[in-house]
Amino acid sequence: MSVASLRSLEYLEQLPGTVFTRLYQQPSTALAIFRRMLPHLAKTFVMAMLYMPEPLPVADLEAWVRPDSSREKDQALNVLERLHILPSSPRAYKLSDSFAASLRLALTGGGNHRSFGVPCSTPDKHQVSIDFLDAYAQRQWETILYYVVSSAGTGMEGGVEISNGSKTLLQLGNFVVEKARRPTITQMGFEFLLQETNGQVWNLLIVYLDNAENLKMDPVDVLSFLFTLGSLTLGQDYSTANLSPTQIQMLEDLADFGLIYRRSPDSIRYYPTRLATTLTSDAPALLTSTAGPSASSLATATSEKSGFIIVETNYRIYAYTTSPLTTAILALFTHLTLRFPNMVAGKLTKESIQTAITYGITADQIVSYLTTHAHPQLRKTHPVLPPTVVDQIRLWQIEGDRMRATPGFLFKEFAGEEEYRGAVEYADTLGVLVWRNDGKRLFFVTRYEQLMGYFRNKPKKGAGAAG
Amino acid sequence: MPKATPGVLVQCDPSIKAIINKIDAERNDYIIEDIDDETCVVKESKYKELQERLKEELKDTVKEAEESGSD
């Protein structure tokens, strides 16, 4: 799963069960969650159980999975349970009714739920092309990014103005804080900048969702609409007629982010852009040059996403870019020395990396940024980045922080070796185990909810297996 | 039934752990569970403060190597 879907998964998880029941009434939501958030094995389970009239006994489901893959099985079931798709029960599994009904509707069609958007019945006099939508989306989104990056005070300020709504949102999301009347970037902001576009969009949308209630908007309505957007077709115009008041209100904000395009605020139609239609898919959210020749018309940062950075073993960096946004991002962790019309050059120094780390950027983020944007020429080598440089970036980081910290829960005072073994192994299969000390019978996990369930169900489980 | 305690797991070198212990010894309000000389669990609310204190301590003890600025 990508970072983006993890982030949205985290958001969804903390919603109460009743919200899920309402969400799953929308076929588009059920389909989007199915497509985007579930691991492959979980998808297989859902598809197999979708048309089952009776609950599936636990033993039968276990029979589907090879014994050596029980870890994957537990993880899949874990995700399904967290999303309230497959309520946990000790004896038999059955998909949640509303989810199953909606997914069936989504797959087979039918019903008059209209959750996949309603195309405009009349042709638009000013039909817009996909190229136009891409350029629009990119311009809107990059303006937001540029606003964030310019608040880093790297000497790249260009007096960027974005709408007050977006500004407030960036502050609420703690990407940028107002200091002495000047916006200043935060650690979250840096992480935000270095993510791939789809992850950025979700991050911002989740902040939007968190604040929906303050704006008197119904979060379920907002979320449903986002999932609907994810299922729309690029280049098609959709009617605003069947949208709820909340969703109409959203259109304006989404247009600010570049997710949708409307010619005027009272237009009866809206066009989703690529940022919106890729919300629930793995396709790149902004056009890259691999997407076709039309991409060459987008002469800024993202059109070069196929790769423009060369890293040499002597820590020098050359980036073929014309975009101030990319230059500004590079300047966050590179000591830039030369700037040409189509290229910037610089060097990764201990100082530049450690400054970035004090901002809250991690070495892994820097390495992954450099790798994703590596020049095709650099890609011919394997590994892509010179290992010495990668190692050195990591070492510079370790030098800065000398302890590894993981928030979570310590389990102690086990009754005996057997109880300890069982619990620690279960924690390991769940993928929540961080550290264990067998001698002292202590272990540390990131989440404890499921482990508590394990302790509660354990006597029952034993009896069930025996009988 | 075992006990679950919320906190931050800190893993570090013995040398750093010694400094953490020294900081904690003043008022005993950081460490919840002192495990061994490379591991301990500290209070989540106090972790940031501990980080700051550690940085302070290190500033005095560790001398940064000079950067060879050959550009």
Side-chain angles (χ1 to χ4, degrees), chain A residues 429-451:
Chain A
T429 39
L430 282 178
V432 294
L433 185 73
V434 188
W435 170 89
R436 62 194 276 184
N437 185 331
D438 294 348
K440 295 191 178 172
R441 287 192 198 137
L442 295 169
F443 68 87
F444 197 85
V445 294
T446 47
R447 318 168 55 99
Y448 74 96
E449 295 86 354
Q450 256 125 5
L451 269 173

Short mmCIF file of all heavy atoms in Angstrom, two decimals, chain A residues 429-451:
data_model
loop_
_atom_site.label_atom_id
_atom_site.label_comp_id
_atom_site.label_asym_id
_atom_site.label_seq_id
_atom_site.Cartn_x
_atom_site.Cartn_y
_atom_site.Cartn_z
N THR A 429 2.94 -11.57 14.29
CA THR A 429 2.15 -11.84 13.08
C THR A 429 1.27 -10.65 12.74
O THR A 429 1.00 -10.39 11.57
CB THR A 429 1.25 -13.08 13.21
OG1 THR A 429 0.71 -13.09 14.51
CG2 THR A 429 1.98 -14.36 12.90
N LEU A 430 0.82 -9.92 13.76
CA LEU A 430 0.00 -8.74 13.49
C LEU A 430 0.84 -7.61 12.89
O LEU A 430 0.31 -6.67 12.33
CB LEU A 430 -0.64 -8.22 14.77
CG LEU A 430 -1.85 -8.96 15.31
CD1 LEU A 430 -2.30 -8.31 16.61
CD2 LEU A 430 -2.98 -8.94 14.31
N GLY A 431 2.15 -7.71 13.05
CA GLY A 431 3.03 -6.66 12.53
C GLY A 431 3.10 -5.44 13.43
O GLY A 431 3.42 -4.36 12.97
N VAL A 432 2.76 -5.59 14.71
CA VAL A 432 2.82 -4.44 15.61
C VAL A 432 4.01 -4.51 16.56
O VAL A 432 4.28 -3.57 17.29
CB VAL A 432 1.52 -4.29 16.44
CG1 VAL A 432 0.35 -3.97 15.54
CG2 VAL A 432 1.23 -5.54 17.25
N LEU A 433 4.75 -5.63 16.53
CA LEU A 433 5.86 -5.81 17.47
C LEU A 433 7.05 -4.95 17.08
O LEU A 433 7.46 -4.92 15.93
CB LEU A 433 6.27 -7.28 17.48
CG LEU A 433 7.34 -7.67 18.49
CD1 LEU A 433 6.75 -7.67 19.89
CD2 LEU A 433 7.91 -9.03 18.17
N VAL A 434 7.58 -4.21 18.05
CA VAL A 434 8.73 -3.35 17.78
C VAL A 434 10.00 -3.94 18.39
O VAL A 434 11.07 -3.88 17.80
CB VAL A 434 8.53 -1.95 18.41
CG1 VAL A 434 9.63 -1.02 17.95
CG2 VAL A 434 7.19 -1.40 18.04
N TRP A 435 9.86 -4.50 19.58
CA TRP A 435 11.04 -4.91 20.33
C TRP A 435 10.63 -6.00 21.30
O TRP A 435 9.50 -6.00 21.80
CB TRP A 435 11.58 -3.69 21.05
CG TRP A 435 12.65 -3.97 22.05
CD1 TRP A 435 13.98 -4.01 21.81
CD2 TRP A 435 12.48 -4.24 23.44
NE1 TRP A 435 14.65 -4.29 22.96
CE2 TRP A 435 13.75 -4.44 23.99
CE3 TRP A 435 11.37 -4.33 24.26
CZ2 TRP A 435 13.96 -4.72 25.32
CZ3 TRP A 435 11.56 -4.63 25.60
CH2 TRP A 435 12.86 -4.82 26.12
N ARG A 436 11.50 -6.97 21.53
CA ARG A 436 11.19 -7.99 22.52
C ARG A 436 12.42 -8.35 23.31
O ARG A 436 13.54 -8.22 22.83
CB ARG A 436 10.61 -9.23 21.84
CG ARG A 436 11.58 -9.88 20.86
CD ARG A 436 10.87 -10.87 19.99
NE ARG A 436 10.74 -12.16 20.65
CZ ARG A 436 10.21 -13.22 20.04
NH1 ARG A 436 9.74 -13.12 18.81
NH2 ARG A 436 10.14 -14.35 20.67
N ASN A 437 12.22 -8.75 24.55
CA ASN A 437 13.32 -9.22 25.36
C ASN A 437 12.86 -10.51 26.01
O ASN A 437 12.10 -10.49 26.98
CB ASN A 437 13.68 -8.17 26.42
CG ASN A 437 14.90 -8.57 27.22
OD1 ASN A 437 15.16 -9.75 27.41
ND2 ASN A 437 15.65 -7.59 27.69
N ASP A 438 13.29 -11.64 25.41
CA ASP A 438 12.78 -12.93 25.87
C ASP A 438 13.24 -13.24 27.30
O ASP A 438 12.50 -13.85 28.07
CB ASP A 438 13.24 -14.05 24.92
CG ASP A 438 12.60 -13.89 23.56
OD1 ASP A 438 11.66 -13.07 23.45
OD2 ASP A 438 13.04 -14.56 22.60
N GLY A 439 14.44 -12.80 27.65
CA GLY A 439 14.97 -13.08 28.98
C GLY A 439 14.08 -12.47 30.06
O GLY A 439 13.77 -13.10 31.06
N LYS A 440 13.68 -11.21 29.84
CA LYS A 440 12.89 -10.53 30.86
C LYS A 440 11.40 -10.65 30.61
O LYS A 440 10.60 -10.08 31.34
CB LYS A 440 13.29 -9.06 30.91
CG LYS A 440 14.70 -8.86 31.36
CD LYS A 440 14.98 -7.40 31.66
CE LYS A 440 16.40 -7.22 32.17
NZ LYS A 440 16.78 -5.84 32.29
N ARG A 441 11.03 -11.34 29.53
CA ARG A 441 9.62 -11.47 29.14
C ARG A 441 8.93 -10.11 29.05
O ARG A 441 7.94 -9.83 29.71
CB ARG A 441 8.87 -12.35 30.13
CG ARG A 441 9.24 -13.81 29.97
CD ARG A 441 8.29 -14.68 30.73
NE ARG A 441 8.88 -15.99 30.92
CZ ARG A 441 8.82 -16.68 32.06
NH1 ARG A 441 8.18 -16.19 33.08
NH2 ARG A 441 9.37 -17.86 32.12
N LEU A 442 9.52 -9.27 28.21
CA LEU A 442 8.94 -7.96 27.96
C LEU A 442 8.83 -7.81 26.46
O LEU A 442 9.68 -8.29 25.73
CB LEU A 442 9.87 -6.86 28.46
CG LEU A 442 10.15 -6.75 29.95
CD1 LEU A 442 11.30 -5.79 30.15
CD2 LEU A 442 8.92 -6.26 30.67
N PHE A 443 7.78 -7.17 25.97
CA PHE A 443 7.81 -6.75 24.56
C PHE A 443 7.05 -5.46 24.37
O PHE A 443 6.27 -5.04 25.24
CB PHE A 443 7.32 -7.87 23.64
CG PHE A 443 5.87 -8.24 23.75
CD1 PHE A 443 4.91 -7.56 23.02
CD2 PHE A 443 5.48 -9.30 24.55
CE1 PHE A 443 3.59 -7.92 23.10
CE2 PHE A 443 4.15 -9.66 24.65
CZ PHE A 443 3.18 -8.97 23.93
N PHE A 444 7.32 -4.83 23.25
CA PHE A 444 6.79 -3.49 23.01
C PHE A 444 6.06 -3.47 21.68
O PHE A 444 6.58 -3.98 20.68
CB PHE A 444 7.96 -2.49 22.98
CG PHE A 444 7.52 -1.07 23.14
CD1 PHE A 444 7.34 -0.53 24.40
CD2 PHE A 444 7.30 -0.28 22.03
CE1 PHE A 444 6.94 0.79 24.56
CE2 PHE A 444 6.90 1.04 22.19
CZ PHE A 444 6.71 1.57 23.45
N VAL A 445 4.85 -2.94 21.66
CA VAL A 445 4.05 -2.92 20.43
C VAL A 445 3.57 -1.52 20.14
O VAL A 445 3.54 -0.66 21.03
CB VAL A 445 2.82 -3.85 20.55
CG1 VAL A 445 3.22 -5.29 20.66
CG2 VAL A 445 1.94 -3.44 21.71
N THR A 446 3.19 -1.26 18.88
CA THR A 446 2.69 0.05 18.51
C THR A 446 1.20 0.19 18.76
O THR A 446 0.70 1.29 18.95
CB THR A 446 2.98 0.34 17.03
OG1 THR A 446 2.60 -0.81 16.28
CG2 THR A 446 4.44 0.65 16.81
N ARG A 447 0.46 -0.91 18.69
CA ARG A 447 -0.98 -0.84 18.99
C ARG A 447 -1.32 -2.01 19.90
O ARG A 447 -0.71 -3.05 19.81
CB ARG A 447 -1.83 -0.99 17.71
CG ARG A 447 -1.32 -0.26 16.51
CD ARG A 447 -2.08 -0.73 15.30
NE ARG A 447 -3.50 -0.59 15.52
CZ ARG A 447 -4.22 0.42 15.05
NH1 ARG A 447 -3.64 1.33 14.34
NH2 ARG A 447 -5.50 0.50 15.29
N TYR A 448 -2.30 -1.81 20.77
CA TYR A 448 -2.58 -2.91 21.69
C TYR A 448 -3.99 -3.47 21.57
O TYR A 448 -4.29 -4.51 22.12
CB TYR A 448 -2.32 -2.46 23.13
CG TYR A 448 -3.38 -1.52 23.66
CD1 TYR A 448 -4.44 -2.00 24.43
CD2 TYR A 448 -3.34 -0.17 23.37
CE1 TYR A 448 -5.42 -1.13 24.88
CE2 TYR A 448 -4.31 0.68 23.82
CZ TYR A 448 -5.35 0.21 24.57
OH TYR A 448 -6.32 1.05 25.02
N GLU A 449 -4.87 -2.78 20.82
CA GLU A 449 -6.29 -3.17 20.79
C GLU A 449 -6.45 -4.65 20.46
O GLU A 449 -7.15 -5.39 21.15
CB GLU A 449 -7.08 -2.34 19.77
CG GLU A 449 -7.17 -0.87 20.09
CD GLU A 449 -5.98 -0.08 19.58
OE1 GLU A 449 -5.03 -0.72 19.06
OE2 GLU A 449 -5.98 1.16 19.72
N GLN A 450 -5.78 -5.09 19.38
CA GLN A 450 -5.98 -6.46 18.95
C GLN A 450 -5.39 -7.47 19.94
O GLN A 450 -5.92 -8.54 20.13
CB GLN A 450 -5.37 -6.68 17.58
CG GLN A 450 -6.43 -6.71 16.54
CD GLN A 450 -6.15 -5.73 15.47
OE1 GLN A 450 -5.12 -5.09 15.45
NE2 GLN A 450 -7.06 -5.60 14.55
N LEU A 451 -4.26 -7.05 20.57
CA LEU A 451 -3.65 -7.93 21.55
C LEU A 451 -4.59 -8.14 22.74
O LEU A 451 -4.70 -9.23 23.29
CB LEU A 451 -2.34 -7.33 22.04
CG LEU A 451 -1.12 -7.75 21.25
CD1 LEU A 451 0.08 -6.96 21.71
CD2 LEU A 451 -0.85 -9.23 21.40
#
